[in-house]
Amino acid sequence: MASVALGNQYCITGAPLSQVVLVKSKVGTRRLLCTRAAVEGGTGMAATEKLGIKIERNPPESRLSELGVKQWPKWGCPPSKFPWTYSDQETCYLLRGKVKVIPDGANEAVEIQSGDLVVFPKDMSCTWDVAEAVDKHYKFG
């Protein structure tokens, strides 16, 4: 699995780097590096990073299987708002829910929802504002 970056944008692909192309988003100036097949076919595993949080929207089942997501522990919570600090990097896959994560010192939130594969960096402190009950698989390290 290759992971390439341009600034703070990522595209995680199973293709050789020689098959990766630069794509400029139709919204704003976001740029993503994706495989040619992802661009032409409208599929792929494009991920973005915002405020240090990496989000991969609706990854294919093959990606989740490769990571072993279904074997990870599960955690959930009802709608609520609470502070959290990550003592280690956490990767999670949201089975259901909708959350605004506000990193300490940030003036904006990162929105995550069901179907998102998310990576939170080690030592990040934030506030979770859970709008819809969360059920997720997670893994530290």
Side-chain angles (χ1 to χ4, degrees):
M1 189 63 57
S3 177
V4 291
L6 175 68
N8 64 350
Q9 303 300 315
Y10 293 80
C11 185
I12 302 164
T13 74
L17 293 178
S18 62
Q19 295 178 11
V20 173
V21 295
L22 173 64
V23 179
K24 186 172 180 183
S25 171
K26 294 176 184 171
V27 180
T29 58
R30 251 174 226 238
R31 293 181 184 160
L32 299 175
L33 292 173
C34 297
T35 62
R36 191 171 315 287
V39 174
E40 293 169 357
T43 62
M45 295 174 279
T48 60
E49 180 178 357
K50 181 177 179 184
L51 303 175
I53 301 168
K54 295 177 188 171
I55 306 168
E56 191 174 324
R57 306 267 185 210
N58 298 306
E61 185 61 38
S62 60
R63 171 93 167 113
L64 300 176
S65 294
E66 176 184 296
L67 294 171
V69 168
K70 289 182 181 176
Q71 284 71 51
W72 297 352
K74 285 177 80 176
W75 178 86
C77 73
S80 53
K81 189 172 185 176
F82 56 90
W84 189 255
T85 298
Y86 292 89
S87 58
D88 201 350
Q89 175 179 288
E90 178 187 327
T91 302
C92 66
Y93 177 70
L94 273 73
L95 298 167
R96 70 180 181 117
K98 187 177 277 190
V99 182
K100 287 183 181 178
V101 180
I102 305 111
D104 286 1
N107 294 325
E108 58 183 316
V110 176
E111 295 186 27
I112 58 174
Q113 60 191 0
S114 62
D116 288 349
L117 182 64
V118 185
V119 179
F120 296 97
K122 180 180 178 178
D123 297 326
M124 185 181 85
S125 293
C126 60
T127 298
W128 269 51
D129 187 354
V130 181
E132 295 176 15
V134 167
D135 187 19
K136 70 174 186 172
H137 283 288
Y138 69 94
K139 180 180 98 169
F140 287 102

